[in-house]
Amino acid sequence: MRAFALAAAALFVSNVCVAAVKPTGEWAVPGNVAHLRIADCDGRLWGVVSWEQRPGADSHNPDPAKRRRPMLGVPILLGMKRAEPNRWDGEIYNASNGKIYTADIHLKGHDVLHVEGCLLGFLCGGQDWSRVKPSAGAGGPSQADPPAANAPVTRRTICSSVRHDPINP
């Protein structure tokens, strides 16, 4: 019985710790082909492409004028609002088809963010993103240091861009 109580307490403490952490910061998508920087902009989380293994264009954007713009800086997580202690609801832009889906995110642990998008509210798919650890020397991503062509994406630039063009896919 005592072992059960200790295990329950440990589970409770770990859930409280995860719930207290926000998913802001730098995240690597599966395969480390891109990083997204998530920032809190006036109580809503926005995530933009902050690094790409191979620079690309937003070629599937429904707005023809935006199809040649670089993916760097494009918002992917759109206006995520806290729905529960460890869950944020909003929308996600899928650059591979140019569509926006309802989505939610939650932390599975300090270094794992689960991202799930849904079509029609029940056809859902998700993936886990890994927190990018700063490199020992420069303070930048260690999983794949960004090339010089990737300009820094900061909270200020993220929040400024979403204020001017809130749904910017």
Side-chain angles (χ1 to χ4, degrees):
M1 184 67 163
R2 186 171 195 218
F4 174 75
L6 288 174
L11 182 61
F12 173 77
V13 168
S14 68
N15 285 339
V16 168
C17 290
V18 168
V21 176
K22 277 187 168 180
T24 53
E26 193 84 11
W27 296 90
V29 301
N32 199 39
V33 296
H35 293 178
L36 274 86
R37 166 109 6 114
I38 299 175
D40 186 328
C41 301
D42 300 324
R44 298 216 179 224
L45 299 179
W46 291 80
V48 303
V49 177
S50 60
W51 175 84
E52 302 173 271
Q53 195 173 57
R54 281 183 232 117
D58 192 8
S59 58
H60 298 288
N61 194 297
D63 180 350
K66 294 180 180 178
R67 290 184 184 152
R68 288 194 169 153
R69 72 176 175 174
M71 284 302 299
L72 193 66
V74 170
I76 302 297
L77 294 179
L78 312 172
M80 306 298 274
K81 186 175 181 181
R82 185 184 296 269
E84 296 175 13
N86 183 30
R87 179 180 162 151
W88 293 261
D89 293 344
E91 295 178 312
I92 190 166
Y93 174 58
N94 182 347
S96 65
N97 66 11
K99 296 187 187 289
I100 294 174
Y101 299 96
T102 59
D104 68 81
I105 60 175
H106 71 270
L107 290 162
K108 283 183 156 181
H110 181 71
D111 293 333
V112 178
L113 179 68
H114 185 74
V115 179
E116 188 165 297
C118 297
L119 174 66
L120 303 174
F122 64 92
L123 297 172
C124 302
Q127 55 185 212
D128 292 338
W129 296 354
S130 303
R131 189 177 296 275
V132 175
K133 307 263 193 250
S135 60
S142 64
Q143 288 153 327
D145 288 328
N150 281 340
V153 175
T154 65
R155 181 192 170 282
R156 177 179 281 171
T157 60
I158 294 169
C159 296
S160 174
S161 69
V162 299
R163 282 188 191 104
H164 293 102
D165 193 3
I167 304 294
N168 190 15

